[in-house]
Amino acid sequence: MSARDATARRLARLAAQVDWSKVVDPYVGGQYGPEVLEGLWSASRITAARTCTNLHYTANGDGSSVRAAAAEMLPFLVEAALDPDVTVRFEILQTIAHIAGTGNTAATAKVAPILEGTWRPTVDPAWPRAWERAADALLPLLDDEDDIIRVGAVGALAQSATHADTLITRMRTCFDSEPEPWVAERLVLAVGELARHAVRGREEALEWLRFRMSVGGKGEEPDFDEDIDAWIAWDEEVRHDVRLQAVQALRRAMPDHADPLYARVTTDALLASSTASANPPVEFLSARVDVITDADQRLGADLPGRLALAHALLAHDSATTREGGLRIAARLMSRWSSAVPDLLSAVAELVDDPHPDNRLFALRILAMCGDVARPWADRVATHLTATGAAQEAVREHAIWALSQMGDDRCVPPLIELLTVHGHFTSGHAGSIDRSWNVSDLSLIDALIPFAAHIDVLLDPLLAHIKETAHRRHPYYSILRRWHLDGEPVVPRLIELLHDDATLMVAAHALLQMDCGPVATAHRERLPRTTDLDKLA
């Protein structure tokens, strides 16, 4: 029998086991048939990946429910995951993990208030039994030669609540012989996930996780040639530094338990990894910062621990680690008012950080704090004289920070920005999924606090509005705000109506401010437009 005939017979056997009437697209109602098996086993990775994605949504919908299709599909998904010739084995294992994870959590899932009483996540009654039978079949993949397949298998099996006790033992055994650090990390997380469902092995699993939390980074590797016993002991203890994952696993296994050790271990592990990679390649910097911020977020409501972590990171020698500290500080200060006085001084120290991105971020955080940051205004003001293209962003962020503090030393440079550019140049609009240092700096928001300086700000503001020839220019909102703040904007605009050069912009400003009629003599000098007729 040829390989093609063998595959055809195999797919026919699998197709005969499925009730295809239940394999229905949840969004458009289209029914799938045996052709999806050919797609899943296709030699084209693109075709196989598209098929896997379609099956994922068919079984799991938006991720909140397990549909009837899931139990029907599971046997052939498991067989495909076990077949080395299938090109999307990892994606299939991810699909199984997502479905099983939903099956474990749907009953306790929170429902948005607007949907309360009208809808709840559901799990098809056939799924738990189907998953209980199928999970054992995935066990051989824990020993697969491909590390990404091992990761996929760990993720899927971590959702097997029924087999939690036996799987914890298997995961720990795999950890002891696992050569790849990132696979070992997933094994630790899986033990934490399984410990939530374990009965006999729960306490032993928790104790093992506490041990993994306590080891790692135990100094330099001993010389293999001089003391092999010491080297073996060292290797066994610190084969993988998984302290961060152990903390995460413990928090997952015991969500209502906050151990002060979590924050201290997290700090030690992050600082140790910073020292080990003091000069990481540029392409790994953002990933490194993400590790730091994710580790902090997993500490949850442990504010004292997270504050201590932020302080340690902000004072670190590594610029990347300090950036992580700034991100954590910004997160804490925006959520907890008590974190502001605790961290503000440490953040202000980084206004002069050697790394320009850190200077920008520190200035942004001070701007976020507004009046509270005024004690550091002198330090910020030193950057107003920064020169050179590389320093222009720092200078503009210093202007922005001072404006949010209400410090009028920023007024002259604001006039310069208004006259030369009409806006900040170091920020721009775009997707909401963007890094902090390209977020918008609003010249409108920067100018509004300085109504008392309209004697020097009004003319350049009107000149900019006139230059753009925009009758509904957003900068008119500045004039409205100054007027509401009680400054003499309207009298000055009325004076400008007498000058043909400023007639139009002054009239439009009065219209936008809804400040009453313009005298007939002035209206006759205006072009006849519908909007301006309203000035009568």
Side-chain angles (χ1 to χ4, degrees), residues 474-495:
Y475 283 15
Y476 282 126
S477 63
I478 302 172
L479 298 175
R480 285 197 297 273
R481 180 61 180 272
W482 287 348
H483 172 63
L484 293 174
D485 286 346
E487 296 301 327
V489 179
V490 172
R492 176 62 177 140
L493 291 174
I494 291 175
E495 289 178 9

Side-chain angles (χ1 to χ4, degrees), residues 57-78:
Y57 285 114
T58 299
N60 205 200
D62 63 357
S64 63
S65 295
V66 178
R67 301 176 60 80
E72 297 296 326
M73 292 162 40
L74 185 59
F76 70 71
L77 288 176
V78 170

Side-chain angles (χ1 to χ4, degrees), residues 23 38 41 76 100 158 170 202 205-206 212 250 278 284 297 323 338 345 363 404 415 432 517 525 536:
V23 185
E38 296 178 9
W41 264 268
F76 70 71
R170 182 67 184 273
R202 175 177 168 81
L206 296 177
R212 298 299 351 152
L250 284 165
F284 294 119
Q297 197 161 19
E323 180 185 341
S338 60
S345 180
L363 288 166
Q404 300 310 290
I415 294 173
I432 60 171
R525 293 162 49 224

Side-chain angles (χ1 to χ4, degrees), residues 426-440:
S426 62
H428 62 270
S431 166
I432 60 171
D433 181 18
R434 58 193 182 191
S435 59
W436 58 266
N437 59 316
V438 295
S439 297
D440 297 342

